[in-house]
Amino acid sequence: MAIETISLQLFLLIIATAVVATQSSSLTSPAPVQSPASISTISFLRTSCAVTDVPDACYNLLAVIDVPDACYNLLLPYMDTFHGNLARVARAASAFAGARQHDLADDLARLKLRGTGAGRVADMTLGDCYDTVSGSNMFANETLGHIDNLVVQVGSKKDMDSEQILAREWLESSDSGMMQCIDWFHDAGEAAVSSPVGKEVIAGCTTVSLYMNMALMLVNAIKF
């Protein structure tokens, strides 16, 4: 439970930092006058992110944070690129999740070089986590290509349904890999879980899982 709390605090810190930075900037510059167009764009993003408010989401931490608000703060810098298209919102969220997964794979590679310091089983678990995360990330660009097809809606509804399924499969598989990694560390024993490396891996996988779930819910909400 303590580890989940640390992971949650890490995720909220990312969002809070972005909000604080924005607020600090506003103190030193005149407040922009919002045009009807910008108000409409903000409203669209709010509405889009509302689909991530799923009480029975597959990942239990989603139930204890304001996911729609986190989604809004995360994607706000890109709101002018959405043009009222939910698939574009899902694409931005998926690209962000894929980028964070890539960063996590780099972090795991770095940690793997020095080991966990918690014994052979923990080190093997770390290696398995790296293989899982890095292997899944290889398909991130391919998945973004499927979502790009959803954005432009090329082909029949059947074609679009197929593209949506393929995009959803990668997000679900990637999230499953994150959860497996966390479970593996718990199965490796208390020494593995309580080690600094173990805590870093669990926190990283938890955070990326949250982004994957957010993107998945947006992809699921696309209608044709």
Side-chain angles (χ1 to χ4, degrees):
M1 187 67 179
I3 292 173
E4 289 185 348
T5 301
I6 292 171
S7 302
L8 174 58
Q9 290 175 341
L10 175 63
F11 176 74
L12 293 177
L13 179 60
I14 295 171
I15 301 301
T17 301
V19 173
V20 169
T22 301
Q23 291 175 338
S24 299
S25 176
S26 67
L27 294 177
T28 58
S29 59
V33 177
Q34 291 186 340
S35 67
S38 65
I39 293 174
S40 175
T41 302
I42 289 173
S43 177
F44 170 72
L45 180 57
R46 283 285 188 194
T47 301
S48 298
C49 284
V51 305
T52 65
D53 188 16
V54 182
D56 59 349
C58 58
Y59 192 63
N60 59 2
L61 280 183
L62 291 176
V64 296
I65 66 173
D66 190 337
V67 182
D69 196 50
C71 169
Y72 172 80
N73 286 318
L74 181 70
L75 300 179
L76 184 61
Y78 314 103
M79 68 175 186
D80 289 332
T81 69
F82 299 144
H83 306 300
N85 187 328
L86 180 59
R88 291 181 183 273
V89 181
R91 208 272 186 194
S94 299
F96 188 89
R100 298 291 73 78
Q101 185 187 44
H102 179 78
D103 291 343
L104 177 60
D106 287 346
D107 289 340
L108 293 177
R110 170 181 54 81
L111 294 172
K112 184 181 173 185
L113 288 176
R114 76 171 193 236
T116 62
R120 179 173 174 271
V121 173
D123 287 346
M124 291 175 62
T125 300
L126 176 58
D128 289 340
C129 284
Y130 168 75
D131 291 341
T132 298
V133 174
S134 60
S136 176
N137 191 248
M138 292 173 58
F139 300 98
N141 287 335
E142 180 179 327
T143 300
L144 293 180
H146 294 308
I147 301 177
D148 285 336
N149 290 334
L150 298 178
V151 170
V152 298
Q153 295 192 23
V154 173
S156 65
K157 182 180 183 301
K158 182 179 179 180
D159 293 332
M160 292 300 95
D161 288 341
S162 177
E163 295 292 331
Q164 187 177 34
I165 290 171
L166 290 170
R168 187 164 57 222
E169 284 180 348
W170 175 74
L171 291 165
E172 290 174 342
S173 175
S174 293
D175 175 59
S176 177
M178 301 299 158
M179 294 298 96
Q180 279 186 323
C181 186
I182 292 172
D183 289 342
W184 290 339
F185 260 90
H186 282 285
D187 291 342
E190 181 59 30
V193 172
S194 61
S195 68
V197 170
K199 290 178 180 178
E200 185 174 346
V201 172
I202 291 171
C205 288
T206 300
T207 301
V208 174
S209 174
L210 288 167
Y211 291 135
M212 289 292 176
N213 273 284
M214 188 185 299
L216 175 61
M217 286 184 279
L218 287 165
V219 168
N220 281 339
I222 299 171
K223 306 296 182 185
F224 310 108

